[in-house]
Amino acid sequence: MKRLTFLLVFLTCVTFQTRGATKSDYLNVIKAARNNLSAQYQQKLSGWEKTYIPDAFSGYAPPSFPVQLVEGDGFLYHVTGQAMYAKEAVKVLIEIGRLRTYFPAAYRSYQKEYRYGLPPMTNFFHLIPYIRSYLWIKSSGMMTPDQKSEIEKNIAQTADYVFRFHEWGPMNRSILRAAALMAASKALPKHPRAKLWRRKAQELAAPSLAKWTIEDAQIYNAVWLDGLFMYIDFAGDQTIWRQPVRHYYFEYLLQLQNPLGYQAEYGDNHGFWDQTARYMAIYERGAKEYHDGEYKWAAAKMWRAVQNDPKNNNIQTGLSYINAYLWCDDSVRPQEPTNKTTEVLEELYGKKVVFRSGWDPDATFLLLNYRNGNEYGKVPKDYLVNTIPIETEKPDHGHSDENNIGPFMTHKTVLLSVPSYFKRADFYQNKIVARKNEMPDTTYRLLPFLRRQETYRMVTSQKLHFYTFKHADVTRTRVTDSNLGYVWDRVITYLKDLNSFVVFDGIKITKPGLFTFANLWHTQKILNSGKHWYESRFLNVGDIPGRWPNPGKWTLLTYFPEPDRKREGVEFVYNWSFAKDLDFAMYRAVTDSMKAGDRLCFTTVLIPFKHGPHPEVKIKPISYLKSDNYPNGVGVKIVFPKKTILVTARMNLEMEYLPYQTRPRYTYKRGRIGYFWKDAAHRSHRMDTDARWAYAEVSNDKINFAFVEATKLLVDQKEIFSSFENSFYTFVSDGKLIHPAREKWECWEDTVKLK
């Protein structure tokens, strides 16, 4: 009997862990949320009526809770057939239109869009749930002819308002208007302007149907896809699911789900806990349309995360799960993804890399976002730039975050976050920040100097390398600022066995001038510090005070091991959005007059640390790896009693090229850099290689190594790797048509015995 009981408990736990939410689960939450809001409705409405202060400048701003309630009532009638829901929906549908009487007629002339009359709903988010509720109860028999006429008039007046004042391009604000107008044409097919609404809806939706969005923001990717799927349902054309770009976004979002089950932040965001209902619905739709267990698993994990969130309140947010219910397919079985570090999804549009140790809640997760304001969608981006005031961000709700690192988390603890909604400028990011032709006051703080320049500056970005090996993963991404005149390569190495990261930031000057470069890393509290290292912790995640107190006991050790002299410090930056937690930046910086061709490099080691005494013990084995060609060759060494780990990067990629025409144009001799270290027994060693990046784990009897783009690698003069010599046809610059040479191998990893 005990065995049977244990088996039943085990199977129950397994089922809960894998199945996630069913339609029944979503329905129960929606019912509870609707009942709660219905019970509070009159009190909330009276409160709004007493406290609403009309604002001629901002225009009419009706409350959102009546629309939420009316959608819930309409939906529950649609699902249950219970007449009480339809009856309540009719009452609120009428009431929503009458609330506009609280906006004085004298104020209406200030808003040109009101010249044809004040619409019942001025927020384009409201029209879709209003129409859906009407469509769900239209045949209920609960409306009198006069009520039906008044509700349809509310729909028509708001649809006309949206028709006259719309934004276009593949983005959230456009697709929501398209969905609203398509819904209006479906609700009122015989209305004299229904064809105009439908035509405008098709026009606004067309750029989104088979194309990427121009937005790069965690919030707005959810709003855009949610609106797009509702548009598809209103339009009745399901052929969209055969288009590759639709499938692309489900894979894109899946790789951006963090170990806690939420969507990682990038661009405009309030915190990773935001937009969960929309993302859950999106994953459910992907699972349904493609019968994909990984999308179902992502929805299930997000559902469990929300239920386990002590600050989540389904009573308040439950009505947001309506689309999740509508799109849920209980026949799809969840299947956990198996990939780890990966590109998200490619280097042309997505332009992100996720370093990941796994998918469990304790896994390590770090996001690199190198997305620039790329060439895609130039016309709608130009339209936005010249229509609305956007100065500190890319014209896509993205921040000035090219090559930014974050979020970074491990063991359920956030170690590096990203700035939230209104903190878009470059100096709020974890990245290299550049200023030119101004001299900061060396006796005063650096951050106020950086804040003088907040406007977004257009740059280009590229992926140069992305490789995963047994012991290390590596990316190299490049940002080119043609305006200021520099090229910045960020090389990130994930040391899997140590669960730590080494970051090399190499800069090449292309236009002379007085430059300041700052290597910024943001946090909220410094717990400890020592020579070139800082132990830090985030207290709160997101921009709502106390919404997500950072759990766990882990902290981040940030270490600057470089031997050269740079300005270093920790400075207060700003109040972390609306929260009381302060934001500090740890940094190293250089100000100097530089000429074209000059180079410099910053090195940072990021080490997750379970908070306790003596964090310096984690730092002690790590130091800078000397090279015979700094800053063209840089490295870090980690010395243990029985082995030494080396991470190197050649920051000057062009030094390997010969000055005359021949092929291959590169040679080992020109690209070679020597690296020198002493092991735990103080024995001297060296490694010589022309690798653009290399990892080596050297012990007394063997070496585990991996490299990117090399012809040779030697340790203590012993040849560990050499590419094969072959015959090459070449330009006749030296009188030889054919000559022997070694070509570079793209990448390789191996283990070689040293004795």
Side-chain angles (χ1 to χ4, degrees):
M1 185 66 182
K2 289 183 178 180
R3 288 184 178 180
L4 179 60
T5 302
F6 171 79
L7 181 60
L8 289 173
V9 171
F10 174 77
L11 290 175
T12 301
C13 292
V14 170
T15 301
F16 174 76
Q17 288 296 318
T18 56
R19 74 171 178 85
T22 63
K23 291 179 84 75
S24 177
D25 292 322
Y26 289 130
L27 183 59
N28 289 336
V29 171
I30 293 167
K31 282 182 178 179
R34 179 268 168 198
N35 292 339
N36 178 70
L37 183 54
S38 179
Q40 298 180 15
Y41 179 72
Q42 287 303 325
Q43 181 182 354
K44 290 172 73 73
L45 187 61
S46 297
W48 180 83
E49 291 170 346
K50 292 176 182 177
T51 59
Y52 176 61
I53 301 175
D55 184 347
F57 178 77
S58 300
Y60 175 50
S64 60
F65 62 87
V67 175
Q68 295 169 350
L69 177 60
V70 82
E71 185 180 32
D73 280 328
F75 165 78
L76 289 172
Y77 172 76
H78 169 69
V79 173
T80 68
Q82 295 182 32
M84 69 169 189
Y85 293 122
K87 184 177 179 181
E88 289 297 311
V90 171
K91 183 179 72 173
V92 180
L93 286 168
I94 296 293
E95 198 157 40
I96 287 171
R98 295 175 180 175
L99 291 178
R100 58 186 148 170
T101 58
Y102 285 88
F103 192 74
Y107 285 8
R108 299 179 187 183
S109 62
Y110 288 87
Q111 302 291 329
K112 289 295 184 182
E113 58 269 27
Y114 298 164
R115 63 188 178 277
Y116 299 106
L118 180 64
M121 291 159 280
T122 54
N123 187 331
F124 55 84
F125 279 85
H126 291 179
L127 184 54
I128 295 173
Y130 188 94
I131 294 175
R132 290 212 297 189
S133 181
Y134 169 72
L135 289 172
W136 281 325
I137 68 166
K138 188 175 182 180
S139 302
S140 66
M142 291 293 158
M143 286 181 285
T144 67
D146 288 344
Q147 288 174 326
K148 184 172 183 290
S149 176
E150 186 171 351
I151 293 169
E152 290 181 347
K153 186 177 180 181
N154 288 341
I155 293 173
Q157 288 177 334
T158 306
D160 285 339
Y161 169 76
V162 172
F163 179 86
R164 291 190 298 266
F165 192 3
H166 59 266
E167 294 171 291
W168 49 270
M171 60 176 180
N172 82 93
R173 297 164 68 88
S174 178
I175 198 63
L176 286 172
R177 286 172 162 91
L181 290 172
M182 184 60 73
S185 72
K186 183 176 181 179
L188 309 177
K190 296 182 180 180
H191 191 280
R193 288 185 295 281
K195 290 184 179 179
L196 288 178
W197 300 336
R198 187 176 186 86
R199 192 198 318 166
K200 177 55 70 175
Q202 292 169 335
E203 175 191 298
L204 292 175
S208 292
L209 286 176
K211 301 177 180 68
W212 292 311
T213 176
I214 60 173
E215 295 172 304
D216 188 45
Q218 182 242 25
I219 288 179
Y220 295 115
N221 284 172
V223 177
W224 176 70
L225 285 170
D226 189 53
L228 177 60
F229 298 163
M230 288 190 289
Y231 171 86
I232 291 168
D233 290 341
F234 288 131
D237 181 6
Q238 300 298 321
T239 60
I240 188 75
W241 304 110
R242 295 200 297 267
Q243 296 172 353
V245 73
R246 280 293 68 74
H247 205 167
Y248 170 98
Y249 272 102
F250 292 108
E251 291 296 317
Y252 178 80
L253 295 178
L254 178 66
Q255 299 306 326
L256 289 171
Q257 189 177 81
N258 71 29
L260 296 179
Y262 296 94
Q263 290 303 121
E265 314 96 288
Y266 54 95
D268 280 354
N269 73 91
H270 294 299
F272 57 65
W273 37 262
D274 193 30
Q275 301 299 318
T276 51
R278 280 195 173 97
Y279 276 117
M280 221 177 297
I282 290 165
Y283 282 127
E284 292 286 9
R285 190 63 182 262
K288 174 184 177 181
E289 299 298 339
Y290 299 107
H291 210 75
D292 191 301
E294 291 190 352
Y295 306 151
K296 191 70 173 180
W297 183 90
K301 186 166 185 178
M302 188 169 283
W303 166 261
R304 293 195 301 272
V306 170
Q307 304 316 305
N308 293 329
D309 176 4
K311 297 296 180 72
N312 172 64
N313 189 344
N314 277 333
I315 295 299
Q316 293 181 358
T317 62
L319 290 172
S320 302
Y321 293 115
I322 289 175
N323 279 344
Y325 173 92
L326 293 172
W327 299 338
C328 176
D329 183 347
D330 289 338
S331 70
V332 181
R333 296 185 62 82
Q335 180 179 342
E336 183 173 346
T338 57
N339 70 280
K340 294 183 179 178
T341 298
T342 186
E343 292 187 76
V344 189
L345 282 172
E346 35 57 57
E347 59 187 285
L348 294 178
Y349 176 78
K351 290 195 168 186
K352 294 175 180 62
V353 173
V354 162
F355 294 88
R356 184 193 295 273
S357 66
W359 292 81
D360 60 283
D362 287 327
T364 294
F365 176 97
L366 183 146
L367 173 63
L368 164 70
N369 186 6
Y370 64 100
R371 164 90 174 256
N372 64 320
N374 56 24
E375 293 76 12
Y376 173 74
K378 175 175 171 51
V379 171
K381 287 178 182 177
D382 286 349
Y383 155 74
L384 280 179
V385 168
N386 292 288
T387 302
I388 61 176
I390 47 175
E391 298 298 328
T392 63
E393 60 185 298
K394 295 180 292 226
D396 55 11
H397 284 114
H399 294 185
S400 297
D401 55 3
E402 294 88 349
N403 259 356
N404 182 61
I405 290 178
F408 173 24
M409 62 194 308
T410 192
H411 293 86
K412 306 183 185 72
T413 306
V414 175
L415 304 178
L416 285 175
S417 188
V418 295
S420 54
Y421 202 95
F422 297 107
K423 307 300 180 182
R424 296 160 172 153
D426 56 2
F427 54 83
Y428 297 126
Q429 319 294 328
N430 302 309
K431 61 178 286 186
I432 298 294
V433 173
R435 299 292 184 263
K436 191 175 184 181
N437 295 333
E438 286 189 85
M439 174 71 79
D441 185 346
T442 56
T443 65
Y444 188 59
R445 296 173 55 228
L446 177 67
L447 270 296
F449 167 77
L450 299 179
R451 291 193 69 173
R452 294 180 196 170
Q453 172 65 47
E454 293 200 35
T455 56
Y456 176 71
R457 191 170 56 252
M458 187 66 73
V459 298
T460 61
S461 63
Q462 299 169 288
K463 182 204 76 177
L464 302 186
H465 296 144
F466 170 79
Y467 296 94
T468 60
F469 300 102
K470 181 178 179 180
H471 298 286
D473 301 330
V474 61
T475 64
R476 185 181 193 130
T477 47
R478 172 172 291 179
V479 168
T480 300
D481 189 330
S482 300
N483 181 24
L484 291 192
Y486 71 93
V487 176
W488 161 37
D489 284 8
R490 169 158 273 185
V491 182
I492 304 174
T493 302
Y494 176 29
L495 300 176
K496 301 179 187 180
D497 301 334
L498 303 180
N499 197 33
S500 299
F501 290 82
V502 176
V503 183
F504 300 118
D505 289 301
I507 298 164
K508 176 186 176 182
I509 304 302
T510 58
K511 292 180 180 179
L514 175 65
F515 284 91
T516 294
F517 291 100
N519 179 25
L520 301 180
W521 301 92
H522 291 266
T523 189
Q524 289 178 347
K525 187 173 183 179
I526 303 295
L527 301 175
N528 288 293
S529 63
K531 186 177 181 180
H532 304 314
W533 66 264
Y534 306 88
E535 182 188 8
S536 63
R537 178 171 174 82
F538 270 84
L539 305 176
N540 184 69
V541 179
D543 61 9
I544 297 179
R547 172 60 183 85
W548 191 276
N550 196 18
K553 298 180 179 179
W554 288 75
T555 59
L556 178 65
L557 297 179
T558 303
Y559 178 40
F560 303 123
E562 300 159 305
D564 55 343
R565 297 178 62 186
K566 291 184 173 75
R567 180 175 179 175
E568 183 177 322
V570 177
E571 292 185 13
F572 167 73
V573 183
Y574 62 90
N575 190 290
W576 188 254
S577 288
F578 308 111
K580 296 180 180 179
D581 309 310
L582 302 181
D583 178 30
F584 297 90
M586 304 166 282
Y587 69 85
R588 297 201 91 195
V590 170
T591 298
D592 203 353
S593 293
M594 303 182 191
K595 62 182 183 299
D598 284 351
R599 294 179 180 272
L600 68 153
C601 186
F602 297 90
T603 301
T604 310
V605 183
L606 304 174
I607 310 164
F609 175 68
K610 191 170 185 179
H611 182 58
H614 308 298
E616 66 275 8
V617 173
K618 295 284 287 186
I619 303 292
K620 189 175 181 180
I622 307 170
S623 59
Y624 199 77
L625 179 62
K626 294 181 180 179
S627 80
D628 58 13
N629 198 344
Y630 178 85
N632 290 325
V634 295
V636 165
K637 67 177 185 290
I638 308 172
V639 180
F640 296 108
K642 294 185 178 181
K643 66 180 180 181
T644 300
I645 293 175
L646 311 176
V647 181
T648 71
R650 178 154 58 84
M651 304 312 296
N652 185 344
L653 302 185
E654 295 80 28
M655 62 180 285
E656 65 188 21
Y657 297 135
L658 293 165
Y660 52 85
Q661 288 285 7
T662 186
R663 294 296 185 274
R665 192 163 184 172
Y666 50 82
T667 66
Y668 169 75
K669 183 177 180 180
R670 291 189 65 89
R672 184 210 64 82
I673 293 178
Y675 302 93
F676 309 90
W677 77 97
K678 290 184 178 181
D679 61 21
H682 302 288
R683 291 172 297 207
S684 296
H685 301 276
R686 67 178 292 165
M687 180 174 76
D688 295 271
T689 183
D690 59 344
R692 294 188 168 189
W693 171 89
Y695 167 90
E697 183 181 307
V698 185
S699 60
N700 288 334
D701 59 345
K702 67 178 181 179
I703 174 174
N704 298 318
F705 72 93
F707 67 73
V708 172
E709 289 197 49
T711 60
K712 285 186 180 183
L713 188 149
L714 291 79
V715 173
D716 294 337
Q717 307 302 316
K718 177 181 174 64
E719 190 174 273
I720 303 300
F721 168 83
S722 178
S723 64
F724 298 98
E725 199 170 44
N726 294 296
S727 297
F728 286 86
Y729 290 89
T730 186
F731 295 99
V732 189
S733 57
D734 56 1
K736 296 179 181 179
L737 181 62
I738 300 177
H739 72 108
R742 300 179 189 275
E743 66 170 332
K744 291 192 291 186
W745 279 31
E746 180 187 9
C747 61
W748 189 246
E749 64 177 326
D750 203 352
T751 299
V752 174
K753 292 183 178 180
L754 297 177
K755 293 183 180 179

